[in-house]
């Protein structure tokens, strides 16, 4: 079966590379966002060391109707697109499946980033029937002890392994393509397990693994989880790159892996490196705010303005220019730079799934 969704997404990404080069040379904005992200809530049922969302008492939860209206404005503008939903934990938002149903009806490809706590056999079936493009499961250790400690939920690692089997069974039963991805936050506690996480992905026969180095979001990330042993970090980087070159299903670029060192040393990017997040990204937040990058101010609000008007607004253009000059070593999986070879490898890995 030809995977038209993956091919369509690859075509739009390639087209935007041309628009990016044109914009950088002329300043004329023909750009259209290709990377859509929704941090759909700030509530979570895990107790992660790397994040403090579960400690917050705010109750801001935009109803599905508002989200759907804005997602439709993107569809009216661009046609079919891909969006990744995360949180918090998106699967605990009461009307989240209404949003997935809308996306399925419109042919919008959806990714869901989840800790998997809520997924049982029935929910796995529901996600498959809604033709979710990918399920990205947070996995922060190759061993239960490590993962459960970092996620703050005893027994969660074993549950993740069960969930993978639920999703694979539902995928096979319904003959529907699904990409199952592990998403790992690299930190001092799991650093030496990173190669084994890659081997676990291969053993389970799932699509691949994405890595993101920890950011200084909490006291634990600033102290306990920040990688200070650079010698061990360098050793792990060499081993991961070797696995990457040997064809292991690693869904971040070699360049990004090498920059883990710069990230933990808190070094700035070289001037020749251009951040292209403002040329690609459209990130929506639980309170309605829209960003090109969360290190910069909001460019609008999804409950007030259509997507096209936000993207081409004067405020967005000013922030877009500022992001180009940013020198942060930013290695979020949504912003990490990929070469043509990296993009081709990821494309064929997704196509194979």
């Amino acid at each position: 079966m030809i995977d038209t969704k993956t091919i369509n997404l690859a075509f739009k990404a390639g087209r935007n590379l041309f628009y990016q080069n044109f914009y950088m040379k002329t300043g004329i904005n023909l750009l259209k966002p290709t990377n859509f992200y929704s941090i759909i809530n700030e509530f979570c049922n895990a107790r992660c060391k790397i994040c403090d969302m579960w400690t917050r008492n705010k109750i801001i939860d935009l109803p599905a109707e508002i989200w759907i209206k804005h997602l439709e404005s993107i569809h009216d503008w661009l046609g079919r697109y891909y969006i990744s939903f995360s949180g918090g934990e998106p699967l605990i938002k009461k009307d989240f499946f209404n949003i997935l149903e809308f996306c399925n009806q419109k042919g919008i490809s959806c990714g869901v980033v989840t800790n998997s706590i809520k997924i049982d056999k029935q929910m796995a079936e529901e996600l498959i029937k809604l033709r979710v493009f990918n399920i990205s499961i947070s996995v922060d250790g190759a061993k239960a002890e490590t993962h459960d400690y970092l996620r703050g939920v005893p027994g969660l690692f074993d549950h993740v392994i069960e969930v993978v089997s639920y999703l694979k069974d539902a995928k096979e039963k319904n003959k529907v393509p699904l990409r199952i991805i592990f998403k790992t936050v690299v930190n001092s506690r799991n650093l030496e397990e990173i190669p084994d996480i890659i081997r676990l992905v291969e053993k389970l026969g799932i699509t691949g693994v994405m890595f993101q180095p920890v950011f200084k979001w909490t006291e634990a990330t600033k102290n306990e989880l920040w990688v200070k042993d650079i010698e061990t970090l360098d050793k792990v980087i060499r081993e991961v790159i070797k696995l990457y070159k040997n064809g292991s299903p690693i869904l971040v670029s070699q360049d990004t892996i090498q920059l883990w060192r710069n990230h933990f040393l808190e070094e700035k990017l070289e001037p020749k490196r251009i951040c292209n997040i403002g040329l690609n990204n459209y990130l929506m937040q639980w309170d309605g705010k829209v960003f090109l990058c969360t290190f910069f101010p909001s460019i609008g609000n999804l409950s007030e303005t259509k997507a096209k008007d936000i993207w081409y607004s004067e405020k967005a253009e000013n922030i877009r220019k500022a992001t180009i000059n940013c020198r942060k070593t930013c290695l979020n999986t949504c912003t990490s730079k990929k070469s043509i070879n990296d993009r081709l490898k990821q494309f064929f890995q997704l196509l194979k799934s």
Side-chain angles (χ1 to χ4, degrees):
M1 186 195 309
I2 297 174
D3 187 350
T4 55
K5 281 189 175 182
T6 303
I7 293 170
N8 179 54
L9 294 172
F11 170 76
K12 288 186 175 181
R15 182 181 62 187
N16 213 49
L17 284 174
F18 171 79
Y19 290 156
Q20 285 178 38
N21 291 330
F22 187 73
Y23 177 80
M24 295 300 294
K25 289 177 181 178
T26 67
I28 298 172
N29 188 359
L30 301 176
L31 296 162
K32 296 176 181 178
T34 55
N35 302 337
F36 291 91
Y37 300 93
S38 166
I39 306 175
I40 204 158
N41 62 3
E42 56 179 338
F43 310 116
C44 192
N45 50 357
R47 297 292 181 266
C48 303
K49 294 277 186 182
I50 62 168
C51 174
D52 66 355
M53 278 196 174
W54 57 274
T55 67
R56 301 178 189 179
N57 296 317
K58 296 177 184 176
I59 305 177
I60 301 175
D61 186 22
L62 293 180
E65 292 76 16
I66 292 178
W67 282 102
I68 288 170
K69 183 178 179 181
H70 195 72
L71 296 177
E72 188 161 29
S73 83
I74 299 172
H75 186 271
D76 291 344
W77 170 30
L78 300 175
R80 294 181 178 183
Y81 59 95
Y82 171 86
I83 180 168
S84 175
F85 292 103
S86 64
E89 171 52 47
L91 295 178
I92 64 174
K93 179 175 170 59
K94 291 181 180 179
D95 52 7
F96 180 57
F97 277 79
N98 295 347
I99 297 170
L100 293 183
E101 177 63 39
F102 164 80
C103 291
N104 184 37
Q105 291 171 358
K106 289 289 186 177
I108 299 167
S109 301
C110 298
V112 179
V113 181
T114 176
N115 57 36
S116 85
I117 292 173
K118 288 282 288 184
I119 301 178
D120 54 16
K121 287 183 180 180
Q122 181 181 345
M123 184 177 284
E125 284 274 353
E126 290 175 23
L127 291 166
I128 290 290
K129 288 176 180 177
L130 287 169
R131 303 187 78 85
V132 171
F133 186 84
N134 68 278
I135 303 288
S136 296
I137 304 174
S138 301
V139 175
D140 286 338
K143 300 182 295 187
E145 178 186 2
T146 307
H147 178 74
D148 294 355
Y149 172 77
L150 288 168
R151 292 286 159 177
V153 181
L156 184 52
F157 180 84
D158 291 338
H159 177 70
V160 166
I161 303 303
E162 284 186 348
V163 166
V164 169
S165 69
Y166 298 157
L167 291 169
K168 290 176 73 174
D169 289 347
K171 171 184 174 180
E172 181 62 29
K173 175 184 173 183
N174 293 279
K175 305 300 179 186
V176 173
L178 173 72
R179 299 113 195 121
I180 304 169
I181 297 166
F182 281 177
K183 191 164 185 179
T184 300
V185 179
V186 180
N187 60 78
S188 63
R189 183 85 180 206
N190 67 9
L191 181 62
E192 294 185 78
E193 293 180 35
I194 296 300
D196 286 332
I197 293 174
I198 298 167
R199 295 183 186 102
L200 176 62
V201 165
E202 292 176 316
K203 179 181 176 182
L204 293 171
I206 60 176
T207 305
V209 58
M210 304 188 83
F211 293 109
Q212 173 184 319
V214 71
F215 278 77
K216 289 186 173 180
W217 287 319
T218 66
E219 284 305 310
T221 56
K222 293 173 186 176
N223 300 297
E224 175 194 357
L225 301 181
W226 194 255
V227 175
K228 302 179 183 69
D229 184 350
I230 302 302
E231 184 178 344
T232 300
L233 176 63
D234 287 339
K235 178 184 174 183
V236 171
I237 289 172
R238 287 193 297 270
E239 188 170 356
V240 172
I241 288 175
K242 183 179 178 181
L243 289 167
Y244 180 91
K245 289 180 176 179
N246 287 338
S248 292
I250 300 167
L251 300 179
V252 294
S253 69
Q254 181 177 329
D255 181 65
T256 298
I257 297 163
Q258 290 170 326
L259 285 172
W260 291 355
R261 191 180 207 276
N262 305 70
H263 173 84
F264 286 111
L265 288 173
E266 300 184 86
E267 296 176 346
K268 291 187 176 181
L269 286 176
E270 300 169 8
K272 65 180 181 180
R273 286 181 176 270
I274 301 298
C275 176
N276 60 11
I277 188 172
L279 314 181
N280 293 307
N281 276 33
Y282 191 93
L283 187 150
M284 297 161 276
Q285 199 170 258
W286 61 87
D287 55 2
K289 291 180 181 177
V290 178
F291 298 85
L292 297 176
C293 172
T294 52
F295 288 118
F296 290 84
S298 166
I299 60 171
N301 194 294
L302 65 86
S303 62
E304 300 168 358
T305 313
K306 290 183 178 180
K308 183 177 181 180
D309 295 332
I310 291 175
W311 178 257
Y312 290 118
S313 67
E314 182 180 353
K315 188 172 186 180
E317 185 62 15
N318 290 335
I319 292 175
R320 185 172 291 117
K321 289 175 180 176
T323 63
I324 291 170
N325 296 316
C326 182
R327 301 269 67 85
K328 290 180 183 289
T329 307
C330 183
L331 299 179
N332 279 330
T333 51
C334 59
T335 63
S336 56
K337 190 175 179 62
K338 297 182 181 73
S339 67
I340 295 297
N341 285 339
D342 293 319
R343 290 176 186 276
L344 285 172
K345 179 181 177 182
Q346 183 168 338
F347 169 71
F348 285 114
Q349 192 67 41
L350 294 174
L351 203 61
K352 186 170 67 176
S353 300

